[in-house]
Amino acid sequence: MVQPHRYEISHVGGEVFTAMDEPSDRCALWGELFKEKERHFYRKELSTETVCFSIKDTFQINIRCLWQPQAKQLKTRQGPFAMLLHGLEPPLTSSWTWVKLGRPLFMKGFSVVMIDFPGFGRSKMNMDSAVGLDVWSFQDWHLICQTLDELKVHSAHTIACGHAC
């Protein structure tokens, strides 16, 4: 029997829509990976943001965040930050890779920023969610800097796996 797939359809603007087969945050949180205490924490604290910017191409970067109270104000983000970068080869290829580490870092006083690279998770390049790594990887450092600038994060401790940086 073929398992049904769920797709998330997003309205981009005008008559433009995108579809992705990435599970929703709600669906992921209800998976067997989380205990009830963790679910409660993430439902309360986890926010998802998308930043858009252009370097040479246009990027739509999905970020899952755990903001400390002093970092919730976009104009004056304060405090220590931890940026978590997923791998570029399966199986650790979305910001969900780090979700179990997010809570302990948050409890230690860090605001946690978990970035999805283009073509992974819900991030896109030129509205293409299936963009190849070879198209953008040469500017990964610029992409990370621009994402942090858009979030008004001036410096962050970096944790990465695989070939993420």
Side-chain angles (χ1 to χ4, degrees):
M1 176 178 230
V2 177
Q3 293 287 0
H5 284 274
R6 287 187 166 190
Y7 295 92
E8 179 175 328
I9 299 174
S10 303
H11 180 245
V12 176
E15 296 179 2
V16 180
F17 292 84
T18 61
M20 301 182 75
D21 62 354
E22 174 84 4
S24 69
D25 289 353
R26 184 175 177 200
C27 179
L29 285 173
W30 281 104
E32 61 189 36
L33 181 64
F34 298 100
K35 295 184 167 86
E36 188 56 37
K37 189 175 181 180
E38 291 173 307
R39 279 189 194 105
H40 178 73
F41 168 79
Y42 284 111
R43 281 195 305 260
K44 181 180 175 202
E45 299 295 341
L46 185 68
S47 66
T48 302
E49 300 183 27
T50 301
V51 296
C52 301
F53 54 86
S54 294
I55 300 172
K56 177 184 155 197
D57 296 287
T58 302
F59 293 90
Q60 300 82 30
I61 304 298
N62 184 70
I63 306 119
R64 289 184 176 90
C65 305
L66 298 167
W67 297 118
Q68 291 290 341
Q70 69 271 20
K72 287 188 178 181
Q73 295 295 333
L74 184 60
K75 290 183 180 181
T76 59
R77 294 216 196 264
Q78 301 286 323
F81 297 90
M83 175 180 60
L84 308 177
L85 304 173
H86 63 76
L88 303 176
E89 297 176 6
L92 306 175
T93 57
S94 91
S95 57
W96 282 110
T97 298
W98 296 108
V99 75
K100 285 290 202 173
L101 187 57
R103 185 169 177 243
L105 286 169
F106 184 86
M107 296 304 193
K108 291 290 183 183
F110 288 91
S111 289
V112 181
V113 176
M114 298 172 279
I115 298 173
D116 279 334
F117 286 117
F120 298 95
R122 292 194 182 120
S123 292
K124 303 171 190 141
M125 179 176 155
N126 299 326
M127 295 307 296
D128 182 4
S129 61
V131 65
L133 183 61
D134 58 325
V135 178
W136 61 267
S137 63
F138 63 93
Q139 54 188 349
D140 60 352
W141 63 273
H142 202 171
L143 187 141
I144 293 167
C145 290
Q146 189 66 37
T147 300
L148 291 177
D149 284 350
E150 293 290 324
L151 292 171
K152 306 289 192 251
V153 173
H154 299 293
S155 66
H157 299 276
T158 303
I159 302 170
C161 66
H163 295 97
C165 273

